[in-house]
C-alpha cells in the first residue's frame, strides 16, 4: 500500500510541474510555446542513470566510473533544462514571468523524477524494474 501512495503523490507532483510549464506557455500575457522544448530534457534526464544501472551489477561499490558518468550526464541535462528558459528570456523570445513559471515547473518535475528513483530504485518487492 505504501507503493501506491508514493505513486499517487509522484503523479500529483508531475501534474503540478506540467501545470506550471503550461501556464508559462499558454497564459494570454505570454502565449509563446518555446518553453515546451524543456520536455525533451524531462524525457532525457533519467536515461543515463537507467542505462548505467542496467550495466553495473555491483551497486554497493564506493566508486564506479559508469555510474559516475551517468550522474554527470544527468546533471548536464538538468542544468540545460534550467538554462534554456533563461536563454530564451534573455533573447526576448519569452517574457521573464514565463521563465519563472517554467523554472518552477522544472524544479517540481525534477524533484518528482528524483523522488521516483528514491522510492522505486531499491531492489525490494515493489520496484520500478518490474515494469
Amino acid at each position: 500500500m505504501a507503493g501506491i501512495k508514493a505513486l499517487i503523490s509522484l503523479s500529483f507532483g508531475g501534474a503540478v510541474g506540467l501545470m506550471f510549464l503550461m501556464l508559462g506557455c499558454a497564459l494570454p500575457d505570454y502565449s509563446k510555446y518555446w518553453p515546451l522544448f524543456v520536455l525533451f530534457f524531462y524525457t532525457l534526464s533519467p536515461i543515463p542513470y537507467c542505462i548505467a544501472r542496467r550495466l553495473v551489477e555491483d551497486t554497493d561499490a564506493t566508486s564506479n566510473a559508469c555510474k559516475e558518468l551517468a550522474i554527470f550526464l544527468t546533471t548536464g541535462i538538468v542544468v540545460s533544462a534550467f538554462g534554456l528558459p533563461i536563454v530564451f528570456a534573455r533573447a526576448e523570445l519569452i517574457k521573464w514571468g514565463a521563465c519563472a513559471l517554467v523554472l518552477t515547473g522544472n524544479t517540481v518535475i525534477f524533484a518528482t523524477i528524483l523522488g521516483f528513483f528514491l522510492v522505486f530504485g531499491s531492489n525490494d518487492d515493489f520496484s520500478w524494474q518490474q515494469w
Side-chain angles (χ1 to χ4, degrees), residues 61-130:
T62 57
S63 177
N64 188 346
C66 183
K67 188 175 174 183
E68 289 177 9
L69 177 65
I71 292 172
F72 177 76
L73 292 175
T74 302
T75 303
I77 292 169
V78 170
V79 168
S80 298
F82 279 97
L84 186 67
I86 294 171
V87 169
F88 283 163
R90 295 273 300 163
E92 297 180 359
L93 288 174
I94 64 173
K95 295 182 181 179
W96 283 102
C99 178
L101 285 169
V102 172
L103 292 177
T104 304
N106 281 350
T107 304
V108 173
I109 290 288
F110 287 122
T112 303
I113 292 171
L114 177 66
F116 178 79
F117 281 107
L118 291 177
V119 171
F120 297 109
S122 62
N123 291 328
D124 56 356
D125 293 336
F126 194 74
S127 175
W128 64 275
Q129 293 174 346
Q130 294 174 357

Side-chain angles (χ1 to χ4, degrees), residues 20-73:
F20 279 117
L21 177 65
M22 290 301 150
L23 283 176
C25 295
L27 282 178
D29 290 341
Y30 308 134
S31 68
K32 302 277 174 133
Y33 290 92
W34 288 105
L36 285 179
F37 281 109
V38 299
L39 289 173
F40 293 119
F41 296 117
Y42 295 162
T43 56
L44 289 178
S45 65
I47 291 174
Y49 189 71
C50 290
I51 291 172
R53 208 171 154 120
R54 292 285 183 186
L55 292 177
V56 176
E57 291 87 20
D58 186 21
T59 57
D60 294 333
T62 57
S63 177
N64 188 346
C66 183
K67 188 175 174 183
E68 289 177 9
L69 177 65
I71 292 172
F72 177 76
L73 292 175

